[in-house]
Amino acid sequence: MRAVVITCAGGPEVLEAREVEDHPALGEGEVLLEVAAAGVNRADTVQRMGRYPPPAGASPYPGLECSGTILALGPNVPSRWAVGDKVCALLSGGGYADKVVAPAGQLLPIPEGVSLTHAAGLPEVACTVWSTVFMTSHLSPGESFLIHGGSSGIGTFAIQIAKHLGIKVFVTAGSEEKLAACKALGADVCINYRTEDFVERIKQETNGKGVDVILDNIGGSYLQRNLNSLGVDGRLFIIGFQGGIAAEVNLQAVLARRLTIQAAGLRNRSLANKAEIVSEVEKNVWPAVAAGKVKPVIYKTFPLCEAAEAHRLMEASTHIGKILLLP
């Protein structure tokens, strides 16, 4: 089969599409997929640099989500899945290939109205956003929600699902073009972090109260400002460290306003935990996608052999929405 190999830790140029050994026999509850498209995620770029190794037993190739067609079923796959079914999947790795093995518990049907290609841009964002701010932070209708990086794949999805559920959405992004895209997706308050202090703007917009939940991909450099932006019983959920892993912080606000700081990834969770998240996404998110209330926002597609170009685009951060690779 063909896959993108990380030839050594480094920049985008270390990615190479090669012929590699076929997958071993399917294990219990696994399916083999013919990949139609794979999503590119920032975590893939961190893996490429040697800082995010795949979990034990996972594919060495990058790619945390894909869409495609079921080619074969391993033992004890639930009867709802059959050879020939069109699906998308959350993966622990291996999406940058023409074939990949996925646990049946991490498969989702292609939602009505979404193309097989575009569906590759849904599993990672839907599972990340649903498992964090909804399943863990319990973001609820009528609350307010700040999304950092509103124009990212995760941001564009989070804006739409939150608006669909009756939540007031605040976003930060770094250009007027990105903010316009966020506004078009339904964001209520769009803040350019390069020219405005988001803490001040949130105070103004909420009459000094602050927001209920923040989804943060920055980490260290935003920690104090995030805490200062939360209202009473506010929840900060950290999913990335683009601004570093360390910070000195005044905890007074945490105690005074009963704040909660949460953080999690997706890739290293157990199979059972991922299956539970995927099942919740199918139940709660998929109907909104099928109804056209939440759409995958696809910025650009690249052939598999141009994975390095896709990573350059991701790292330049000029994109709005998702980047996909097509085998």
Side-chain angles (χ1 to χ4, degrees):
M1 64 174 216
R2 211 164 159 68
V4 171
V5 176
I6 300 169
T7 54
C8 62
E13 69 285 348
V14 306
L15 298 176
E16 207 177 284
R18 289 182 180 172
E19 289 298 318
V20 298
E21 253 179 70
D22 232 332
H23 284 287
L26 292 173
E28 187 88 7
E30 290 182 334
V31 302
L32 179 66
L33 302 178
E34 177 180 24
V35 177
V40 175
N41 289 281
R42 198 163 287 277
D44 307 338
T45 67
V46 185
Q47 177 176 339
R48 189 204 71 224
M49 291 185 267
R51 299 206 305 264
Y52 190 38
S59 166
Y61 313 121
L64 300 174
E65 61 186 339
C66 73
S67 59
T69 307
I70 298 180
L71 288 176
L73 306 172
N76 300 321
V77 168
S79 60
R80 73 173 287 195
W81 303 116
V83 169
D85 284 353
K86 307 283 189 217
V87 297
C88 54
L90 182 69
L91 306 168
S92 297
Y96 290 20
D98 54 17
K99 286 186 277 192
V100 70
V101 172
Q106 289 165 223
L107 300 181
L108 286 152
I110 303 297
E112 209 176 322
V114 176
S115 71
L116 181 61
T117 300
H118 283 190
L122 284 171
E124 182 75 18
V125 293
C127 292
T128 295
V129 172
W130 195 261
S131 65
T132 54
V133 290
F134 292 100
M135 289 172 73
T136 309
S137 300
H138 304 294
L139 178 61
S140 307
E143 288 196 312
S144 54
F145 177 33
L146 167 62
I147 304 158
H148 289 303
S151 59
S152 66
I154 281 176
T156 53
F157 174 84
I159 292 167
Q160 295 178 80
I161 191 70
K163 286 312 297 175
H164 173 64
L165 294 170
I167 289 152
K168 183 167 186 181
V169 173
F170 296 71
V171 299
T172 62
S175 75
E176 294 312 308
E177 184 196 3
K178 288 179 176 182
L179 293 172
C182 294
K183 191 125 202 99
L185 290 169
D188 298 286
V189 178
C190 302
I191 305 164
N192 187 331
Y193 67 80
R194 295 184 198 277
T195 58
E196 275 188 278
D197 175 358
F198 69 81
V199 183
E200 280 312 304
R201 182 76 187 279
I202 283 165
K203 291 246 166 78
Q204 285 166 18
E205 298 279 351
T206 60
N207 298 322
K209 289 212 297 279
V211 294
D212 296 299
V213 174
I214 299 176
L215 183 61
D216 173 52
N217 57 345
I218 301 296
S221 63
Y222 270 19
L223 182 57
Q224 187 71 61
R225 282 184 281 171
N226 280 331
L227 296 176
N228 296 348
S229 302
L230 286 168
V232 174
D233 291 320
R235 292 87 79 196
L236 167 62
F237 208 110
I238 301 169
I239 56 165
F241 300 115
Q242 285 172 241
I245 55 171
E248 185 168 319
V249 63
N250 179 338
L251 294 169
Q252 193 64 47
V254 179
L255 186 142
R257 298 204 299 283
R258 300 189 297 272
L259 305 182
T260 305
I261 301 171
Q262 300 164 315
L266 202 49
R267 188 184 202 179
N268 291 300
R269 291 173 184 255
S270 69
L271 283 177
N273 193 197
K274 285 183 190 172
E276 181 197 358
I277 291 166
V278 167
S279 158
E280 289 292 312
V281 163
E282 185 172 358
K283 194 165 70 195
N284 296 289
V285 175
W286 252 224
V289 179
K293 303 292 184 194
V294 176
K295 298 181 165 84
V297 177
I298 309 300
Y299 183 72
K300 194 166 182 189
T301 61
F302 291 88
L304 202 57
C305 61
E306 289 177 24
E309 278 311 303
H311 275 220
R312 282 187 191 100
L313 176 60
M314 167 69 74
E315 290 177 319
S317 286
T318 51
H319 61 291
I320 291 167
K322 293 289 291 189
I323 301 164
L324 304 179
L325 291 174
L326 310 179

